[in-house]
Each structure stands twice: as structure tokens, then as C-alpha cells.
Amino acid sequence: MPHLTDILQVLAVLLAAIVMVVVVRARHRGKASHDTAYANENVCEHLKPALQYLEAAGHQVYRVGQHGPDMPLEIHLQPAFDPHAIYKELQLIPPVYVSERNVLFCKEDWCELHPVK
């Protein structure tokens, strides 16, 4: 016969599992909105039209960050897109290029738009 303490312990574990799921979902939504806001605030003026065009077309910021102070700001977008097609369609001009790694890259401000595959 289970005791009251056993029943309370099982209920506490179940409640903790439910709370954990809710908290993890909220953190994912918060991170996604933070990444989108950060990308829109920190993208260089040369790549801003491309980012706005991609977001209007349904692309979402997947990841944004900078590996170090001497590295470019990387904005990863999903679903994947063709950087060459965006470059031609928006008629982007230097300092924006399509790099060897197939990303839109601003050489002046060290900012990149990456397609996530």
C-alpha cells in the first residue's frame, strides 16, 4: 500500500517534468526572437536589403553570432537560399560579394548571411 509521501513524491516528479517542458519551449521561443532582433539590429547597411528580402520571403534567422573579435558577424538563415540568385536579384554592389563558401559577405563591415542547409 503506497504511503502519502510516495504519492506526493510521484506527483512532484510529474509536475517537475511538465514544468521543464514548458520552460524549455519558452526558452526556445525567447532565443529565436532574440536572434532575429539581434540580427536586424547588427546587420550592416549593405546586407540589410538582402536580410529584409529573405525575411519577407519566409526565411528565419536560425543562428547569429561572432566567433571572435577578429571574425565576421554570421547570420544563418533557414531554409536554404541561393546567395548568387539573391546577389543578382537585388543587384547588390561591392563591398558585398558572394564568397568562396557560398555566403553573402560584406568585406567592409565583416558581416555574412549564411544559408542553412
Side-chain angles (χ1 to χ4, degrees):
M1 184 98 183
H3 292 94
L4 180 60
T5 56
D6 295 335
I7 294 171
L8 290 176
Q9 194 174 27
V10 169
L11 289 175
V13 169
L14 289 174
L15 181 63
I18 291 169
V19 168
M20 184 180 70
V21 168
V22 170
V23 168
V24 168
R25 283 187 181 176
R27 286 186 50 97
H28 279 288
R29 281 193 298 272
K31 178 157 179 10
S33 64
H34 170 268
D35 284 353
T36 301
Y38 185 83
N40 284 305
E41 291 170 7
N42 292 295
V43 68
C44 72
E45 291 301 317
H46 305 107
L47 287 175
K48 189 175 280 266
L51 179 61
Q52 291 172 343
Y53 174 82
L54 289 167
E55 287 181 330
H59 292 77
Q60 296 177 346
V61 175
Y62 176 72
R63 182 175 56 235
V64 63
Q66 189 172 6
H67 291 288
D70 57 338
M71 302 291 285
L73 174 68
E74 297 179 5
I75 301 171
H76 298 260
L77 297 149
Q78 67 177 7
F81 62 92
D82 181 14
H84 291 285
I86 300 297
Y87 185 84
K88 287 181 183 178
E89 186 171 338
L90 297 179
Q91 298 175 350
L92 298 173
I93 56 172
V96 175
Y97 297 94
V98 177
S99 74
E100 305 84 34
R101 296 178 298 135
N102 200 29
V103 299
L104 287 173
F105 176 64
C106 176
K107 287 186 177 182
E108 186 176 300
D109 296 315
W110 274 56
C111 188
E112 298 179 345
L113 296 180
H114 287 254
V116 174
K117 294 173 174 64

